[in-house]
Amino acid sequence: MSEGKNGIEAFIAGLPKAELHVHHVGSASPRVVAELAARHRGQSKVPTDPAALAEYFTFTDFAHFIEVYLSVVDLIRDAEDVRALTYGVAEDMARQQIRYAELTITPYSSVSRGIPDVAFMEAIEDARKSAEKDLGVVLRWCFDIPGEAGLAAAEETARLAVDLAPEGLVSFGLGGPEIGVPRPQFKPYFDRARAAGLHSVPHAGESTGPETVWDALRVLGAERIGHGTQSVKDPSLMDWLGEHRIPLEVCPTSNLATRVVERIEEHPLKQMVDAGLLVTINSDDPPMFGTDLNTEYAVAARLLDLDETGVAGLAKNAVEASFLDTPGKARLAAEIDTYLAGWDKG
Ligand SMILES: [Zn+2]
């Protein structure tokens, strides 16, 4: 490892950051998952010790990832599980100098398993307020439709987002597998969420091609794209994304873990940046993919051959692409600039 690389990793570790694409249950660290598994021992196939969990989290393909993910979802049984998970995720963010995160939550998974909807909202809001007060981590929510669960799940997610909208909710999303789950069928639910003032941030162009991204933009009114990595296959889409400054939430290690790319060197990140797109770096389901946001920034720095100024630029892209208000954006961007200036002085 070169001295330069050590330097950039130290820079990243202290850099104030925003994260825009990270899943609630998928952020549960092995410690939190082991605790939940132990609490519900005998009712789940998820191992309870961290070493066995690491092995359990080694995926063969995207379908296998979804299967493991859902088995962890099944460990969230009551409001206290929800609160503990959410606060635990914020603690891991604070350790990485993440100041602001839009956490993607799938309330349908918990509510359909019997957690009362109002108790669920109270649990996440309680964790959000504690995280901001105790840890200085500002959390906002994106409620997403689990695409694999069909239109009943979409209807319920829209109801929860519109009728019970917790204070921290800013956006509406769509996750799960893309293959066999066409985006346009979700239009009525996105229409309702957008009419209620929520931003549209569906996953698209992760495991299927650029036409899924076009659907997300044209049919679901996407303001940001979750992943969108397959956009590089369509030059006219790349032009459109650049012209309209639609941010992409890129998650390099996730794409490797789910075998969307075979080798990290084949990741289209550089192509997207070279085309002038507004690219943000994110961790998706970090402990499940053996990563965290700092590691993703280091991967991006290597793929893009960035110095400290370049890495700070990526962090500022996330601030720009966030749904923070204007003063909040200015504050966080200034914090990044101050950190960079201090680092340059040595
Ligand atoms: Zn995701």
Side-chain angles (χ1 to χ4, degrees), residues 22 33 76 87 100 126 132 134 144 147 153 156 165-166 184 202 225 243 346:
V22 59
V33 174
I76 313 298
Y87 191 77
Y100 172 85
D126 180 67
E132 188 164 338
D134 310 344
D144 83 330
E156 177 68 347
I225 302 288
E243 267 166 41

Side-chain angles (χ1 to χ4, degrees), residues 38 47 64 68 93 177 184 187 197 304 310 344:
H64 180 218
V68 171
M93 289 177 166
K187 177 177 167 30
L304 299 171
D344 282 343

Side-chain angles (χ1 to χ4, degrees), residues 217-298:
L217 293 165
R218 287 175 173 151
V219 186
L220 305 182
E223 292 161 70
R224 275 197 329 240
I225 302 288
H227 295 282
T229 36
Q230 305 294 321
S231 305
V232 294
K233 292 178 178 163
D234 180 346
S236 62
L237 175 58
M238 292 291 276
D239 288 347
W240 204 94
L241 292 168
E243 267 166 41
H244 293 83
R245 210 139 172 82
I246 300 288
L248 297 168
E249 303 159 358
V250 177
C251 314
T253 299
S254 162
N255 296 154
L256 188 66
T258 59
R259 312 280 169 100
V260 174
V261 295
E262 284 302 317
R263 296 176 339 118
I264 199 70
E265 292 74 18
E266 290 164 16
H267 197 284
L269 176 64
K270 189 166 182 346
Q271 231 178 308
M272 300 162 105
V273 170
D274 287 349
L277 301 192
L278 181 54
V279 168
T280 66
I281 299 298
N282 304 275
S283 65
D284 208 4
D285 301 290
M288 293 196 178
F289 298 141
T291 192
D292 59 21
L293 186 61
N294 287 344
T295 304
E296 296 308 285
Y297 268 77

Side-chain angles (χ1 to χ4, degrees), residues 109-334:
S109 304
S110 295
V111 171
S112 66
R113 280 171 175 76
I115 301 180
D117 51 15
V118 171
F120 181 90
M121 302 306 164
E122 285 171 357
I124 58 172
E125 284 293 302
D126 180 67
R128 181 177 69 81
K129 288 172 185 160
S130 300
E132 188 164 338
K133 186 159 79 63
D134 310 344
L135 309 167
V137 176
V138 173
L139 293 176
R140 293 291 180 265
W141 318 126
C142 169
F143 278 5
D144 83 330
I145 298 169
E148 73 282 0
L151 296 185
E155 175 67 39
E156 177 68 347
T157 305
R159 181 187 73 83
L160 294 166
V162 173
D163 296 353
L164 294 185
E167 210 182 314
L169 185 66
V170 293
S171 62
F172 194 73
L174 169 61
E178 289 175 22
I179 295 166
V181 186
R183 313 282 94 174
Q185 64 186 313
F186 300 105
K187 177 177 167 30
Y189 313 101
F190 275 79
D191 285 349
R192 264 162 64 195
R194 291 165 66 206
L198 297 174
H199 297 285
S200 168
V201 285
H203 286 55
E206 176 187 12
S207 54
T208 59
E211 65 286 353
T212 316
V213 179
W214 281 123
D215 283 345
L217 293 165
R218 287 175 173 151
V219 186
L220 305 182
E223 292 161 70
R224 275 197 329 240
I225 302 288
H227 295 282
T229 36
Q230 305 294 321
S231 305
V232 294
K233 292 178 178 163
D234 180 346
S236 62
L237 175 58
M238 292 291 276
D239 288 347
W240 204 94
L241 292 168
E243 267 166 41
H244 293 83
R245 210 139 172 82
I246 300 288
L248 297 168
E249 303 159 358
V250 177
C251 314
T253 299
S254 162
N255 296 154
L256 188 66
T258 59
R259 312 280 169 100
V260 174
V261 295
E262 284 302 317
R263 296 176 339 118
I264 199 70
E265 292 74 18
E266 290 164 16
H267 197 284
L269 176 64
K270 189 166 182 346
Q271 231 178 308
M272 300 162 105
V273 170
D274 287 349
L277 301 192
L278 181 54
V279 168
T280 66
I281 299 298
N282 304 275
S283 65
D284 208 4
D285 301 290
M288 293 196 178
F289 298 141
T291 192
D292 59 21
L293 186 61
N294 287 344
T295 304
E296 296 308 285
Y297 268 77
V299 169
R302 184 164 60 80
L303 291 175
L304 299 171
D305 195 23
L306 297 179
D307 61 5
E308 285 80 359
T309 305
V311 169
L314 283 179
K316 287 173 80 171
N317 281 357
V319 175
E320 181 184 343
S322 76
F323 298 126
L324 262 170
D325 57 14
T326 306
K329 284 186 182 185
R331 251 194 321 273
L332 187 46

Side-chain angles (χ1 to χ4, degrees), residues 19 22 26 32 58 62 202 217 222 312 328:
E19 179 155 37
V22 59
V32 173
T58 304
F62 194 80
L217 293 165

